[in-house]
Amino acid sequence: MTGSKASDWHASGEGRQRGPLIVTEDEGLLDDLLRLCAAAGAMPEVAHGLPARKESWDAAPLVLVGDDCASRMSRTARREGVVVVGKDPDDPGIWRRALGLGARNVALLPDGEGWLVDRIADAVEGAGEPALTVGVIGGSGGAGASTLACALALGAARAGQRTMLIDGDPLGGGIDVMLGGESAEGLRWPAFADSRGRLAGRALEEALPELHALRVLSWDRGDCTAVPPDAMRAVLGAARRRGGVVVVDLPRRVDEPAVEVLEQLDLGLLVVPSELRAVAAAHRIASVVRMLLGDLRVVARGPFATGLDGQEIARLLGLPLAGELPPEPGLPEVLAAGRPPGGGERGPLARFSAGFWAGALAEGGGVPA
């Protein structure tokens, strides 16, 4: 599976679920709607004129009613999730017919195609609250951002959250190695380099390696060292739509793909060792990141120098303090043995992660798995 392409499952990954119901006698409109359903990864049921079965009308996650059928369906039992679809933008009557059917939305093609594809995909995926998305970035080289990102993802999974860990640093060597899963089956970033538009969230999740009760999107050991911004946007958008928690390990350079990530984050953690030089380096990174991310907090990493504790580091950077992270005893030995950082329930990393999620999920309304 590691050699597959994301395009192999981009449109088909969600076809196993119940798709929308299409009601129309207009063959041209039907062709358009079938094409849009395929783009959204949905397998629709088609009723020519009226639903053949009442249960089809009631059970479909979304009903797309052609404007040609809207008038005669006004007596149909009203329900949520009905969209009237037409092609004539100069016909004000379509809104009246939609109101008579109890539909809250009208889609006019072709201008409304993008909106309608998203609406179909949301309905099929059962879209709920987006994932609480947290990015971790090192304030200086060797700050331990990848270590904290792994520990946070493991902590979220222990807390019962559907969790995805995304490796946003192509020069980091692959975060799957840190989790001891470099040989695990599943897709890595190169398979998504050509992704555009909307990816099916469930298919993304199922295509990735599962390590320690979470899904991981890592770089491999090949020659690919970047993905286009469009691919980063598509993948992260799909991950967020699955709900739960997404943790992103960010590179220290803010290039175009990193900008795409920063613009979708709910919260950023800047890991800063207790060293004056590290604080100076972190100040430069923070000045750039804060232009793209409204909520950036400091994680001060020990051991702490005299007069340079977490509060002082946060003050010098002008950022709120997310917490202090003391040194993790035996961490090099843990990593050398192929065990993940913060994988147990004890130790500074595990304690920091548990405390962080207890607060962040209460603030952000995380979605349980």
Side-chain angles (χ1 to χ4, degrees), residues 175-203:
I175 208 165
D176 56 351
V177 176
M178 188 169 283
L179 294 168
E182 59 268 28
S183 61
E185 276 295 304
L187 297 183
R188 267 66 172 182
W189 263 119
F192 298 91
D194 296 328
S195 299
R196 299 291 186 275
R198 181 172 179 126
L199 298 180
R202 180 184 294 273

Side-chain angles (χ1 to χ4, degrees), residues 23-117:
V23 184
T24 183
E25 293 179 340
D26 183 329
E27 293 297 327
L29 181 60
L30 177 59
D31 287 343
D32 287 335
L33 292 177
L34 290 175
R35 172 175 54 82
L36 297 179
C37 285
M43 187 72 71
E45 178 182 349
V46 178
H48 295 279
L50 292 174
R53 299 174 298 152
K54 182 179 182 298
E55 53 265 33
S56 297
W57 175 267
D58 294 336
L62 181 70
V63 179
L64 307 176
V65 178
D67 188 31
D68 60 303
C69 294
S71 295
R72 64 183 117 129
M73 293 186 66
S74 59
R75 295 179 180 273
T76 305
R78 299 193 176 194
R79 51 152 289 171
E80 294 291 322
V82 177
V83 178
V84 174
V85 186
K87 291 186 174 183
D88 185 359
D90 297 321
D91 177 16
I94 190 172
W95 296 98
R96 183 181 65 254
R97 293 187 288 276
L99 184 62
L101 186 56
R104 295 187 178 183
N105 297 107
V106 168
L108 295 173
L109 307 184
D111 290 349
E113 287 189 357
W115 177 88
L116 192 54
V117 168

